[in-house]
Amino acid sequence: MTNIAICAPATPITREQQAALEQLVAAEFPQVRVTFHEQCFAQHGHFAGDDLTRLTALLDCANDPAFDVVWFAKGGYGSNRIAEAAVVRMNDAARAKTYVGFSDAGYLLAALYKARIGQCVHGHMPVSARSEGGREAIRRVLRWLEGDTSGVEPSLDGTTPAAAFNLITLAMLTGTQMMPDLTGHVLMVEEVAEHMYAVDRLFFHLAGTLPRLAGLRLGAITDVPENYVEFGQTEEEIAQFWCARMGVPYLGRALIGHYSANRVVPFGLASPPART
């Protein structure tokens, strides 16, 4: 039995989204048990409870030895406000867990990866369980937790460490105490709801701050707002331009992003989930 604790370090989810995930798990994954922390449904302005409430819920889930996995319920914005405080309060039980999320949850994955706490995984989140595409992305996560690696990003070869981030999350991480050392990693990046010029601007910032990478892969750039004038380069041309400026190999596309094809990317070397 895999016991999964779900908390919301950023924004809240609804009871309907909870029910959708529970129904999926009950119907298709009998060896998985999910437990939603009540904090997932709290509301404090934009956030799923104030900072202390969200921090406390995360630590409740991470430090409880009864759980194998902590699954972040939803992105949005807010994980960065509690990530540093969380990692210094995590115990030995927290170090044995798998942590799953993406987008805004990248702040937590970065802080955990830097602190070498648990196994960090870029993967879809429970908020998406009400759509068929979202359910299929969630199935990839749940299958991977059971040892099925078919939903892993296909470019992972198990010999070169990897990491995956939302572009703006990664850009905001650079220069902070939460930023892990990605030297020698294949870095995968994606973005949602940003103008193409903003994507270029984010790559500009990263080109001046990232260490020597083994290579970069570009995920999906989705829901790009229409600008008054075309930028003049595609997202792939932007990535290739800045990779050339960095002297980093551009390795092609990756199946990650804010869409239903989003694949699982374990940080470091790809493997089945850690278990004690």
Side-chain angles (χ1 to χ4, degrees):
M1 178 67 71
T2 299
N3 290 313
I4 302 175
I6 299 173
C7 60
T11 58
I13 62 170
T14 66
R15 297 288 182 183
E16 291 77 16
Q17 289 161 339
Q18 174 192 15
L21 183 73
E22 289 175 339
Q23 290 164 10
L24 172 64
V25 170
E28 301 182 28
F29 296 90
Q31 294 304 308
V32 172
R33 180 167 57 202
V34 294
T35 301
F36 283 81
H37 198 289
E38 191 63 24
Q39 171 269 330
C40 291
F41 315 103
Q43 186 113 30
H44 182 82
H46 171 87
F47 304 107
D50 61 22
D51 289 356
L52 181 58
T53 297
R54 299 193 326 279
L55 173 61
T56 300
L58 172 57
L59 292 173
D60 286 347
C61 296
N63 289 340
D64 188 338
F67 297 115
D68 306 300
V69 178
V70 176
W71 200 358
F72 305 125
K74 184 183 177 184
Y77 171 73
S79 300
N80 59 314
R81 294 168 63 118
I82 64 171
E84 286 186 87
V87 294
V88 298
R89 291 167 172 81
M90 289 184 176
N91 64 14
D92 288 343
R95 293 182 175 276
K97 286 181 172 54
T98 300
Y99 298 86
V100 184
F102 81 118
S103 193
D104 179 81
Y107 293 111
L108 281 166
L109 297 179
L112 289 161
Y113 191 54
K114 180 178 181 180
R116 299 183 180 180
I117 295 174
Q119 186 167 30
C120 299
V121 181
H122 162 105
H124 238 63
M125 295 180 285
V127 66
S128 300
R130 296 184 70 189
S131 71
E132 183 48 46
R135 284 192 293 273
E136 187 52 38
I138 286 169
R139 288 183 184 104
R140 293 187 194 105
V141 172
L142 291 168
R143 289 171 186 145
W144 183 83
L145 289 170
E146 292 189 329
D148 178 350
T149 60
S150 62
V152 167
E153 155 58 31
S155 66
L156 294 177
D157 60 11
T159 62
T160 305
F165 289 96
N166 175 259
L167 265 171
I168 197 165
T169 300
L170 182 61
M172 295 301 100
L173 278 163
T174 58
T176 73
Q177 293 300 309
M178 294 184 288
M179 181 67 183
D181 183 4
L182 299 178
T183 302
H185 286 61
V186 172
L187 175 64
M188 304 181 193
V189 292
E190 52 88 17
E191 190 50 86
V192 61
E194 294 287 350
H195 285 90
M196 202 59 71
Y197 66 77
V199 172
D200 187 78
R201 183 166 56 203
L202 292 167
F203 269 110
F204 156 75
H205 176 71
L206 292 171
T209 53
L210 288 174
R212 186 69 176 182
L213 302 171
L216 182 139
R217 287 188 177 274
L218 180 66
I221 307 295
T222 53
D223 297 337
V224 177
E226 185 176 349
N227 197 22
Y228 72 96
V229 63
E230 289 292 327
F231 183 69
Q233 285 184 310
T234 67
E235 67 264 30
E236 191 158 24
E237 288 169 339
I238 291 169
Q240 291 169 332
F241 174 85
W242 288 108
C243 280
R245 288 277 290 266
M246 287 188 284
V248 168
Y250 176 71
L251 303 177
R253 303 305 294 257
L255 290 172
I256 65 165
H258 285 67
Y259 67 156
S260 60
N262 189 35
R263 299 298 181 93
V264 173
V265 181
F267 282 35
L269 297 174
S271 67
R275 288 289 180 268
T276 57

